Amino acid sequence: MVELHIHLDGAIKPETILYYGRKRGIALPADTAEELQAIIGIDKPLSLPGFLAKFEYYMPTIAGCREAVKRIAYEFVEMKAKEGVVYVEVRYSPHLLANSKVDPIPWNQAEGDLTPDEVVALVSQGLQEGERDFGVKVRSILCCMRHQPNWSPEVVELCKKYRHQTVVAMDLAGDETMEGSSLFPGHVKAYEEAVRSGIHRTVHAGEVGSPEVVREAVDTLKTERLGHGYRTLEDEALYARLRQENMHFEVCPWSSYLTGAWKLGTEHAVVRFKHDQANYSLNTDDPLVFKSTLETDYQMTKEGMDFTEEEFKRLNINAAKSSFLPEEEKEALLDLLYDAYEMPPPAAAGLHP
């Protein structure tokens, strides 16, 4: 399987949070991993702000600590190996894990000496060591945050600096209902610089925001993929255009239920994507908070939406094709999938009698 939309800070082991809470003397609302998981986790739909509030509980235990930042990256790869993932792109905001040279300092931390730049170096080291030890190919995506356009110019510079050390793209995350946030000059300039510098681009849009947010992501920010993108379907002309352009939708089914982005009893956007043979992938988003694994999303679509093995193969091949890997590495990943699925590669199709 290939996964393209998962947040590092939403994929931390509860045990690791407890360990650093104790080690750093930071109070947590629970004493065991099970209790902590129950408090951080969600079982029924919350609003997006309600969901984002969950991070306030545990991010202070990890942010600002070099050892913790590197460890969560390493353990992330181990987690994905256990799920049978062969390639994953993991995203995070370097600024939300820092406590120095970041304004404002997140999570009410005291000022320290861990900069966003060093955060990227540490995460990259953790991912590379995990890749070596667990045999999963991993790349990273750096997030700009909608409410902090002042951070975005540095995000694109860090993408350039670390482009040969796991970083393959940038993202825009946070509350997309924040009026006009796609058009904040800090974000727009950063995305223009990304285009100029050959940095790949994805944007959270159309999860709970209007099709207009999707249009801004595509036309102004020149995104190559859409994080979620469900609300695109409310504008048939826009959807038709994006399908024609082979836009990739990073779909997170279980997440969309728990954040209220999708209401039970209505048809999920992914059913339409499947029906139209659109370009999309299945992803977990924030498995710590959603108490899930990739299997959760596959079971949900298989049992509740009649997804078939053939469709799972198709969407994983599309995920690989829409990944931000360089062409040669992408070809190797696709060969791996064709082999695993016992499918002839497209170039060879038709050569077999």
Side-chain angles (χ1 to χ4, degrees), residues 1-262:
M1 292 185 288
V2 173
E3 185 167 17
L4 302 179
H5 190 116
I6 178 167
H7 294 261
L8 180 61
D9 50 1
I12 305 171
K13 288 163 67 172
E15 293 82 356
T16 303
I17 294 167
L18 278 176
Y19 174 81
Y20 286 107
R22 289 193 188 114
K23 184 169 179 175
R24 301 177 71 196
I26 295 168
L28 283 164
D31 296 321
T32 69
E34 292 73 30
E35 288 169 3
L36 188 65
Q37 178 75 75
I39 291 168
I40 295 171
I42 303 177
D43 291 306
K44 52 183 191 291
L46 270 183
S47 66
L48 200 58
F51 153 68
L52 294 171
K54 295 287 186 176
F55 292 81
E56 304 275 350
Y57 282 123
Y58 66 86
M59 282 298 282
T61 64
I62 304 296
C65 174
R66 288 175 174 77
E67 183 189 303
V69 167
K70 184 175 171 185
R71 176 165 159 183
I72 63 169
Y74 180 79
E75 290 180 345
F76 170 80
V77 192
E78 182 180 27
M79 189 189 304
K80 288 295 131 183
K82 286 179 178 155
E83 291 178 30
V85 172
V86 291
Y87 176 68
V88 58
E89 289 175 3
V90 62
R91 60 188 71 193
Y92 65 98
S93 160
H95 296 78
L96 289 179
L97 288 166
N99 62 8
S100 171
K101 294 190 181 168
V102 52
D103 179 34
I105 297 175
W107 320 112
N108 297 316
Q109 297 176 90
E111 186 166 357
D113 61 1
L114 181 58
T115 64
D117 188 313
E118 198 186 347
V119 165
V120 180
L122 287 163
V123 170
S124 295
Q125 284 168 21
L127 294 177
Q128 286 169 325
E129 288 174 19
E131 197 171 52
R132 176 197 70 201
D133 292 352
F134 305 112
V136 179
K137 194 177 182 79
V138 192
R139 295 294 180 265
S140 61
I141 296 173
L142 305 185
C143 297
C144 302
M145 300 305 296
R146 285 186 178 271
H147 66 296
Q148 294 293 354
N150 57 313
W151 293 351
S152 295
E154 186 178 13
V155 173
V156 72
E157 291 308 314
L158 290 171
C159 287
K160 292 196 285 196
K161 180 173 178 179
Y162 291 98
R163 70 198 312 174
H164 299 300
Q165 292 168 61
T166 82
V167 178
V168 290
M170 67 190 276
D171 177 29
L172 179 58
D175 182 3
E176 65 167 314
T177 61
M178 183 181 271
E179 198 62 42
S181 57
S182 306
L183 307 178
F184 289 166
H187 300 324
V188 173
K189 288 194 178 91
Y191 270 76
E192 284 170 352
E193 180 57 30
V195 171
R196 258 196 307 276
S197 308
I199 300 293
H200 287 298
R201 302 160 305 285
T202 183
V203 172
H204 281 73
E207 178 181 14
V208 293
S210 68
E212 189 51 40
V213 182
V214 175
R215 190 178 281 105
E216 290 165 352
V218 174
D219 291 339
T220 303
L221 302 178
K222 304 285 188 269
T223 193
E224 298 166 82
R225 298 196 320 227
L226 287 165
H228 306 284
Y230 319 127
R231 298 293 166 89
T232 309
L233 296 179
E234 292 169 13
D235 183 333
E236 284 293 342
L238 176 64
Y239 176 53
R241 180 192 138 195
L242 295 187
R243 275 190 53 220
Q244 190 155 13
E245 293 170 5
N246 199 35
M247 176 61 70
H248 183 86
F249 296 89
E250 303 161 355
V251 178
C252 310
W254 184 238
S255 159
S256 68
Y257 164 60
L258 290 175
T259 60
W262 167 64

Side-chain angles (χ1 to χ4, degrees), residues 237-312:
L238 176 64
Y239 176 53
R241 180 192 138 195
L242 295 187
R243 275 190 53 220
Q244 190 155 13
E245 293 170 5
N246 199 35
M247 176 61 70
H248 183 86
F249 296 89
E250 303 161 355
V251 178
C252 310
W254 184 238
S255 159
S256 68
Y257 164 60
L258 290 175
T259 60
W262 167 64
K263 304 283 185 287
L264 267 183
T266 64
E267 184 174 89
H268 197 292
V270 77
V271 175
R272 177 81 186 272
F273 295 160
K274 174 187 74 158
H275 178 263
D276 295 340
Q277 295 284 280
N279 178 9
Y280 70 92
S281 51
L282 293 184
N283 310 275
T284 55
D285 204 6
D286 295 278
L288 166 67
V289 184
F290 301 135
K291 302 202 280 197
S292 65
T293 65
L294 211 41
E295 184 63 21
T296 313
D297 292 276
Y298 279 76
Q299 284 303 119
M300 176 182 173
T301 49
K302 185 177 178 178
E303 290 166 13
M305 303 173 193
D306 299 323
F307 273 53
T308 61
E309 286 305 311
E310 289 313 303
E311 184 64 9
F312 289 140

